Amino acid sequence: MPAEPIDPTGVTWTRVDERYITVKFITGIIGWVITLAAVATPIVLDALGVIGNIPGWIEILVSSVVVGWAALDLWLIPRRIRAIGYHERADDLLIRRGILFQRVVAVPYGRLQYVDIEAGPLMRRFGLCTVQLKTAAAATDAVIPGASREEGARLREELSLRGQARLAGL
């Protein structure tokens, strides 16, 4: 992952699993199919004469915008996933995400209240999970989506131990 101006100096990011791209494609396609069906319903009902006349230019404009937006959204999925990364430092965990609007969050180990792992049916099918970090301040809560199940379990144990060690020092 190339370094960006927002990245701390000397940080090598660990990327999330590449299989997460497939998961996001599947969920994205399902979401856009539902959206396209919702947009197409009035157009089909108009064509069948069930509802009043919708001007043809509105049908074409709305359909084109939704299809274009869906194509752009699906096209950007690999870049969005490859922009997610994390790095374990001595006192905190850095989490990076974003292409256009980039964000780097530093989660201090001493602030960790608990580390949660969740995986829905699709994530389990691909051997992935989401690691959620809950802290004393809601502003520093963070998420690492698309970690392999093994890496998620390792992160949960490692971060919990580091959090307990830092809390004991307070």
Side-chain angles (χ1 to χ4, degrees), residues 15 29 33 40 45 58 67 78 84-85 100 111 132 152 159:
R15 286 197 220 177
I29 288 170
V33 165
L45 291 176
I58 290 178
V67 168
I84 300 170
L100 186 59
R111 295 281 183 159
Q132 294 184 338
L159 297 176

Side-chain angles (χ1 to χ4, degrees), residues 3-164:
E4 296 285 343
I6 194 172
D7 292 343
T9 308
V11 169
T12 303
W13 297 104
T14 303
R15 286 197 220 177
V16 297
D17 198 298
E18 288 282 321
R19 295 175 289 182
Y20 190 51
I21 294 172
T22 306
V23 170
K24 290 303 282 183
F25 267 127
I26 292 169
T27 58
I29 288 170
I30 290 170
W32 281 112
V33 165
I34 292 169
T35 301
L36 290 171
V39 169
T41 299
I43 295 170
V44 170
L45 291 176
D46 181 44
L48 296 173
V50 176
I51 60 174
N53 287 339
I54 299 175
W57 68 271
I58 290 178
E59 292 176 352
I60 292 170
L61 178 67
V62 169
S63 299
S64 300
V65 167
V66 171
V67 168
W69 191 358
L72 179 64
D73 183 53
L74 294 172
W75 180 70
L76 286 174
I77 285 174
R79 284 205 56 199
R80 282 190 203 122
I81 301 306
R82 290 185 183 111
I84 300 170
Y86 60 94
H87 178 75
E88 298 172 63
R89 295 195 302 188
D91 294 322
D92 57 12
L93 175 73
L94 298 175
I95 300 174
R96 174 186 190 262
R97 66 180 336 137
I99 300 170
L100 186 59
F101 297 98
Q102 297 174 344
R103 182 177 181 195
V104 175
V105 176
V107 181
Y109 297 131
R111 295 281 183 159
L112 283 177
Q113 291 184 329
Y114 65 91
V115 181
D116 189 21
I117 294 181
E118 68 177 37
L122 192 56
M123 294 279 275
R124 283 194 313 269
R125 167 72 177 90
F126 284 90
L128 302 173
C129 66
T130 297
V131 180
Q132 294 184 338
L133 309 169
K134 299 295 181 180
T135 63
T140 57
D141 286 356
V143 175
I144 302 171
S148 69
R149 306 250 344 226
E150 298 79 21
E151 180 66 2
R154 185 197 71 76
L155 280 170
R156 180 186 58 215
E157 295 305 316
E158 181 68 27
L159 297 176
S160 295
L161 288 173
R162 289 182 185 187
Q164 288 174 359

